Amino acid sequence: MKYIDEFQDPDLAARLLDDIRATVTRPWALMEVCGGQTHSIIRHGIDQLLPDEVELIHGPGCPVCVTPLEVIDKALEIASRPEVIFCSFGDMLRVPGSGRDLFQVRAEGGDVRVVYSPLDALRLAEENPDREVVFFGIGFETTAPPNAMTVHQARRRGIRNFSLLVSHVRVPPAIEAIMQSPDCRVQAFLAAGHVCSVMGTAEYPALAERFRVPIVVTGFEPLDVLEGVRRTVRQLERGEHTVDNAYPRAVPPEGNPAARAMLDDVFEVADRAWRGIGVIPDSGWRLSARYRDYDAEHRFQVGDITTLEPAECRSGEVLQGLLKPHECEAFGTTCTPRTPLGATMVSSEGACAAYYLYRRLDLPARPGSRPSPAGAPTAGGTTAVRVPNREDSSVV
Amino acid sequence: MCLAVPGRVLSVEDRDGTRMATVDFGGVVKEVCLEYLPDLRVGEYAIVHVGFALQRLDEESAHRTLELFENLGMLQEEFGDPWEQAAQAGDSDGLGREVQR
Ligand code: SF4
């Protein structure tokens, strides 16, 4: 019970945990969708505080992690061109493409810049009319509206030397794909709070009904996660499967209508590849026909770059909850945040990196080869003894 | 990356036909676009993602969240120098942004 002290309100955390313990009677597997939730869960040891019956499976909700290798390679190709100023969020700098990453492209003379907001990239385009400014538009429904607004502004203000390399993804089709996978073990979802701040909750009842799974909109602060788990377990034990909103302070049912309208104007739904998983139908957006001129893939003719993922990396299984990160043979040996084989080891929201940062010292020796089957103890279960490592101790 | 951080509106203005605000995130001040929350007023709080206000937030939950982020070093992650963080990721044992603190 040591780590409960780290919660903002330890009493409330203890009460939520008591309630979950009192409710649960048999094993359940819940998937948290959002990478921010994964980070929070591992950092605070929430999975270890929960009763053994409640297993948290870490879903594909880190935008950096699911951006396909092919798109990274396109980004690297565009960023290497002398006329280009390539703008990105900081998280993408170290994501490995086939050979290098954006950090290296910059070291080799590429003009790569990190911006806080896509509007900063648009300003750069205005200030540098003789250069081509490209913004790397990745992310889920939370990040798509800012990028949509930026393209809209570029067109409205006649800024022609700006374009977007788009790799936006949507959560509901991913939930559908996970539920349709023959190996699926997921029995309920904690839906991503900030995605729902934009999109609202209207997309979820049909999914809950069709797959008979509870879907609980959940924030990513530790107490929010506990409350989401509590409500989910209650539904599971009662045999219910409805959409519930455990994060109403940031999620009105209708989301943000202005942002949704802009998404509909600037983007159109398209098939998207997810790194490690493959193509999921209708799972993302591309620029709609009216904005095609602002599509960097089109402008720089990189549409024919195709790349295969390294076979060694099992992030696809990790992202679908079929494997825990430390059960991958490369984890902590050939694959570390310094030498990542897969994107889930790069971003601190990726499950592999989160395990590496907060768990590698307390993990049991790696099981010889194959993952432990469902129900067997894992690091999230009873076998691991949690020892604070240096990252943790500097936090408290 | 999907982190949305609560901030308090310090001032609002119209720039090139776009509604913009200066927003305070526990000491760090940034320019934020209000086009998706046009009726947000000075003194109010909103959750902000990559320079866009996406939802209004009440003051108390905004404070709680900011305090938590501050304690966890997440504001530094969000607003710190990304090149330094990426360089650290390259030559330290863990992700730069974590170990650095
Ligand atoms: S530990 Fe590395 S190689 Fe293994 S799944 Fe994670 S990112 Fe891929």
Side-chain angles (χ1 to χ4, degrees):
Chain A
M1 269 305 165
K2 181 154 181 240
Y3 286 86
I4 210 165
D5 302 344
E6 289 176 18
F7 286 80
Q8 263 182 325
D9 184 342
D11 290 344
L12 180 54
R15 283 208 304 281
L16 292 170
L17 281 163
D18 283 346
D19 191 273
I20 294 168
R21 264 186 229 108
T23 309
V24 75
T25 62
R26 58 204 144 119
W28 298 111
L30 285 56
M31 176 174 275
E32 87 272 3
V33 170
C34 157
Q37 290 166 345
T38 301
H39 186 122
S40 189
I41 287 163
I42 306 301
R43 181 171 209 157
H44 295 273
I46 292 174
D47 51 339
Q48 297 175 332
L49 289 167
L50 288 169
D52 294 343
E53 289 91 339
V54 180
E55 180 191 0
L56 293 177
I57 296 180
H58 316 305
C62 160
V64 176
C65 303
V66 300
T67 301
L69 198 50
E70 189 170 298
V71 175
I72 310 281
D73 281 350
K74 288 174 182 172
L76 298 173
E77 160 66 27
I78 294 172
S80 305
R81 302 205 184 174
E83 76 275 25
V84 167
I85 300 176
F86 193 87
C87 301
S88 163
F89 297 133
D91 319 50
M92 296 308 287
L93 297 178
R94 279 292 179 189
V95 180
S98 302
R100 8 173 231 171
D101 56 27
L102 283 170
F103 196 81
Q104 279 161 283
V105 167
R106 186 204 194 211
E108 291 159 17
D111 193 347
V112 180
R113 313 224 187 149
V114 172
V115 291
Y116 162 65
S117 159
L119 287 178
D120 298 340
L122 189 60
R123 188 174 324 123
L124 275 173
E126 257 180 318
E127 290 165 1
N128 297 275
D130 53 334
R131 306 282 300 278
E132 279 288 332
V133 174
V134 182
F135 183 71
F136 200 175
I138 69 148
F140 281 88
E141 291 97 325
T142 326
T143 320
N147 294 347
M149 175 64 76
T150 305
V151 176
H152 174 82
Q153 297 270 353
R155 199 171 87 138
R156 186 177 68 80
R157 289 155 59 186
I159 302 173
R160 310 281 312 167
N161 61 327
F162 176 83
S163 59
L164 195 66
L165 179 61
V166 189
S167 187
H168 281 304
V169 281
R170 304 166 55 225
V171 167
I175 289 185
E176 193 175 335
I178 287 162
M179 288 313 295
Q180 283 172 334
S181 153
D183 303 317
C184 174
R185 299 173 44 228
V186 180
Q187 293 165 297
F189 288 91
L190 306 180
H194 288 159
V195 162
C196 296
S197 292
V198 171
M199 300 304 288
T201 53
E203 294 173 290
Y204 294 103
L207 287 169
E209 190 52 43
R210 177 165 157 216
F211 298 108
R212 307 186 68 79
V213 284
I215 300 179
V216 177
V217 178
T218 302
F220 59 91
E221 293 168 36
L223 289 171
D224 290 323
V225 174
L226 281 180
E227 173 63 4
V229 170
R230 189 183 73 86
R231 294 195 193 198
T232 310
V233 168
R234 202 168 51 183
Q235 279 202 48
L236 286 166
E237 288 285 343
R238 288 180 184 162
E240 296 170 357
H241 49 86
T242 62
V243 176
D244 185 16
N245 184 357
Y247 195 40
R249 70 176 190 275
V251 178
E254 72 283 6
N256 184 318
R260 280 172 34 218
M262 184 62 74
L263 287 173
D264 287 344
D265 178 42
V266 173
F267 293 128
E268 62 193 24
V269 168
D271 296 352
R272 278 276 166 212
W274 296 52
R275 192 167 194 169
I277 296 179
V279 174
I280 303 178
D282 290 343
S283 67
W285 280 299
R286 65 167 173 236
L287 288 163
S288 61
R290 303 199 301 131
Y291 290 91
R292 201 63 37 92
D293 288 351
Y294 293 90
D295 187 343
E297 268 192 64
H298 186 71
R299 193 173 291 189
F300 296 94
Q301 303 288 310
V302 289
D304 54 351
I305 293 181
T306 54
T307 319
L308 292 175
E309 319 257 336
E312 211 184 344
C313 172
R314 301 179 67 187
S315 64
E317 290 159 87
V318 171
L319 291 172
Q320 293 171 84
L322 303 175
L323 187 79
K324 292 270 193 262
H326 65 283
E327 292 163 348
C328 167
E329 294 202 22
F331 177 86
T333 55
T334 52
C335 183
T336 67
R338 196 213 304 219
T339 54
L341 289 176
T344 41
M345 188 55 101
V346 176
S347 161
S348 66
E349 291 173 17
C352 296
Y355 267 66
Y356 188 87
L357 284 171
Y358 302 118
R359 286 290 161 79
R360 69 181 186 282
L361 300 183
D362 13 306
L363 290 171
R366 199 178 354 268
S369 53
R370 306 310 297 174
S372 49
T378 66
T382 49
T383 50
V385 181
R386 188 165 152 80
V387 183
N389 58 26
R390 67 197 159 96
E391 287 87 7
D392 271 349
S393 43
S394 69
V395 170
V396 284
Chain B
M1 196 200 95
C2 267
L3 201 63
V5 181
R8 179 170 177 268
V9 178
L10 297 176
S11 66
V12 177
E13 65 171 307
D14 214 64
R15 205 175 306 149
D16 302 326
T18 306
R19 207 166 165 76
M20 297 293 292
T22 47
V23 173
D24 174 24
F25 302 92
V28 183
V29 174
K30 290 272 179 193
E31 299 292 296
V32 167
C33 175
L34 296 191
E35 286 290 311
Y36 292 138
L37 275 184
D39 57 348
L40 199 67
R41 307 214 180 290
V42 171
E44 285 190 304
Y45 288 80
I47 52 175
V48 175
H49 178 58
V50 299
F52 284 72
L54 294 179
Q55 275 301 341
R56 211 178 232 101
L57 202 62
D58 67 273
E59 180 166 355
E60 198 205 317
S61 15
H63 277 303
R64 277 222 325 251
T65 304
L66 272 174
E67 190 189 319
L68 178 81
F69 284 7
E70 176 83 53
N71 288 340
L72 295 177
M74 284 160 95
L75 291 180
Q76 166 68 23
E77 246 173 67
E78 183 76 2
F79 300 120
D81 177 355
W83 289 106
E84 197 177 303
Q85 288 167 2
Q88 289 258 344
D91 35 69
S92 71
D93 196 21
L95 288 181
R97 58 185 113 176
E98 302 296 335
V99 183
Q100 204 180 335
R101 285 191 307 277

